[in-house]
């Protein structure tokens, strides 16, 4: 009878040990899955942060943006002038500043309209605050006031 109780006790101990090892194995598997999910999320977040950085206008990127605007105008056969650039600082700390750019062009109608479309297609949030197009002799003159959100 003592041997029988000893055998039952050993079986119960091994059953408990097996149960603990099974729970430990499940925890390790869950942690691996969680770690893999975190790594995937970090990789996606890194890609998203790089993409966000590329489309966020900063003061350093403003100079290259102005050069792009002038280059696009020239490629379209327009005489392009940046008349003024002004920075309107935000009063709220979390609000972006506004860079105000006044661009004037002179040239054919189709190029003038293509230029306006190009401005709308810039990779930054561009607000065309004012746009005037008028005819001068055989060419068209345009004046656009652009507002771009700029982050510090």
């Amino acid at each position: 009878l003592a041997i029988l109780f000893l055998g039952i006790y050993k079986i119960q101990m091994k059953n408990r040990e097996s149960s603990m090892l099974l729970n430990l194995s499940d925890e390790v598997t869950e942690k691996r899955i969680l770690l893999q999910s975190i790594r995937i999320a970090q990789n996606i977040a890194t890609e998203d942060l790089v993409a966000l950085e590329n489309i966020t206008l900063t003061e350093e990127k403003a100079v290259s943006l102005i050069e792009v605007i002038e280059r696009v105008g020239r490629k379209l056969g327009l005489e392009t002038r940046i008349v003024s650039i002004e920075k309107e600082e935000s009063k709220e700390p979390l609000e972006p500043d506004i860079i105000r750019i006044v661009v004037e062009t002179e040239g054919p109608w189709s190029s003038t309209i293509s230029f306006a479309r190009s401005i709308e297609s810039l990779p930054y949030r561009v607000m065309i605050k004012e746009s005037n197009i008028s005819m001068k002799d055989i060419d068209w003159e345009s004046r656009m006031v652009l507002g771009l959100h700029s982050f510090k």
Side-chain angles (χ1 to χ4, degrees):
L1 192 58
I3 294 175
L4 183 63
F5 282 125
L6 186 59
I8 292 173
Y9 179 74
K10 276 186 167 182
I11 291 172
Q12 286 179 344
M13 291 303 290
K14 290 198 184 261
N15 190 22
R16 285 184 190 156
E17 188 179 335
S18 296
S19 180
M20 285 176 36
L21 289 174
L22 184 60
N23 288 339
L24 186 60
S25 173
D26 288 344
E27 285 179 26
V28 168
T29 302
E30 287 176 16
K31 287 181 181 179
R32 282 185 183 160
I33 291 171
L34 182 61
L35 182 62
Q36 185 177 11
S37 298
I38 289 170
R39 285 185 180 144
I40 290 171
Q42 284 177 333
N43 289 339
I44 291 171
T46 302
E47 293 170 6
D48 289 346
L49 287 173
V50 168
L52 181 64
E53 178 66 29
N54 289 336
I55 63 170
T56 303
L57 182 64
T58 59
E59 289 180 21
E60 295 82 30
K61 292 180 183 178
V63 174
S64 63
L65 174 66
I66 292 165
E67 291 171 352
V68 166
I69 291 171
E70 290 176 332
R71 192 176 326 121
V72 166
R74 280 190 231 108
K75 281 186 179 179
L76 291 171
L78 296 171
E79 184 181 315
T80 307
R81 295 175 302 282
I82 304 293
V83 177
S84 69
I85 301 167
E86 179 182 323
K87 181 178 177 183
E88 299 172 10
E89 296 203 11
S90 171
K91 292 169 181 55
E92 298 293 323
L94 296 178
E95 292 291 319
D97 297 336
I98 302 290
I99 295 179
R100 199 170 160 262
I101 302 173
V102 179
V103 182
E104 291 182 351
T105 65
E106 186 175 328
W109 170 255
S110 60
S111 296
T112 302
I113 295 302
S114 294
F115 182 73
R117 287 185 186 139
S118 298
I119 293 295
E120 290 175 335
S121 300
L122 287 170
Y124 306 108
R125 181 177 179 197
V126 179
M127 298 168 287
I128 299 178
K129 295 186 174 221
E130 180 184 321
S131 177
N132 298 315
I133 299 176
S134 59
M135 188 170 193
K136 177 185 175 188
D137 298 327
I138 59 169
D139 283 335
W140 290 83
E141 288 182 329
S142 75
R143 181 177 190 275
M144 284 191 264
V145 179
L146 311 175
L148 295 112
H149 285 187
S150 172
F151 296 89
K152 298 172 185 161

